């Protein structure tokens, strides 16, 4: 059994900041890439940023310069620091991790999502 637990969402004013966290727990042999996706009402889920186990990062254009993804491999945790938030960043943010439970295969696991609302 593997679980991803997200935290850190909430209501923030435009220009404000939030830090999301996502901790993986359970029967874990290794974690490969971790990332954050988001889904706004009426829109498809989209990638925000990802990070490999070695620390290589990738951002969507809308996240460049405002969001920073990082991870603590010892804690099986990935973070998303979001600055200069805009109303269009309002969405449910989901954590995704590629996890191997045995060392022989890997599956994608999703968190339950955390709501981020940017509004004055």
């Amino acid at each position: 059994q593997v679980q991803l637990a997200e935290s850190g969402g909430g209501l923030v004013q435009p220009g404000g900041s939030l830090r999301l966290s996502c901790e993986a727990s359970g029967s874990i042999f290794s974690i490969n890439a971790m990332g954050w996706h988001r889904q706004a009402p009426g829109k498809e889920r989209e990638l925000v940023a990802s990070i490999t186990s070695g620390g290589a990062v990738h951002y969507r254009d809308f996240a460049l310069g405002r969001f920073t993804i990082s991870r603590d491999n010892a804690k099986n945790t990935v973070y998303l620091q979001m600055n200069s938030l805009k109303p269009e960043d309002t969405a449910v943010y989901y954590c995704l991790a590629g996890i191997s439970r045995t060392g022989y295969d890997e599956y994608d696991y999703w968190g339950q999502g955390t709501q981020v609302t940017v509004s004055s």
Side-chain angles (χ1 to χ4, degrees), residues 3-119:
Q3 291 184 331
L4 298 183
E6 297 138 335
S7 61
L11 173 64
V12 64
Q13 292 186 342
S17 298
L18 283 174
R19 188 190 194 213
L20 306 182
S21 300
C22 171
E23 180 181 6
S25 62
S27 178
I28 297 172
F29 179 83
S30 63
I31 303 177
N32 193 3
M34 303 183 81
W36 291 94
H37 290 65
R38 71 184 187 183
Q39 187 166 19
K43 295 187 177 181
E44 293 187 353
R45 191 173 298 189
E46 61 179 354
L47 173 68
V48 177
S50 63
I51 183 168
T52 68
S53 58
V57 298
H58 169 74
Y59 296 96
R60 294 290 304 280
D61 286 348
F62 62 78
L64 281 171
R66 299 190 300 128
F67 295 178
T68 302
I69 190 170
S70 61
R71 65 190 282 173
D72 184 333
N73 291 331
K75 296 181 178 179
N76 290 340
T77 299
V78 63
Y79 306 96
L80 185 68
Q81 176 67 43
M82 303 186 294
N83 299 326
S84 302
L85 283 162
K86 306 174 181 180
E88 51 263 43
D89 294 317
T90 295
V92 178
Y93 284 70
Y94 296 91
C95 173
L96 172 66
I99 296 175
S100 175
R101 297 179 59 190
T102 64
Y104 297 101
D105 52 13
E106 179 180 311
Y107 297 94
D108 287 341
Y109 292 86
W110 289 91
Q112 80 285 356
T114 185
Q115 177 70 46
V116 171
T117 302
V118 185
S119 176

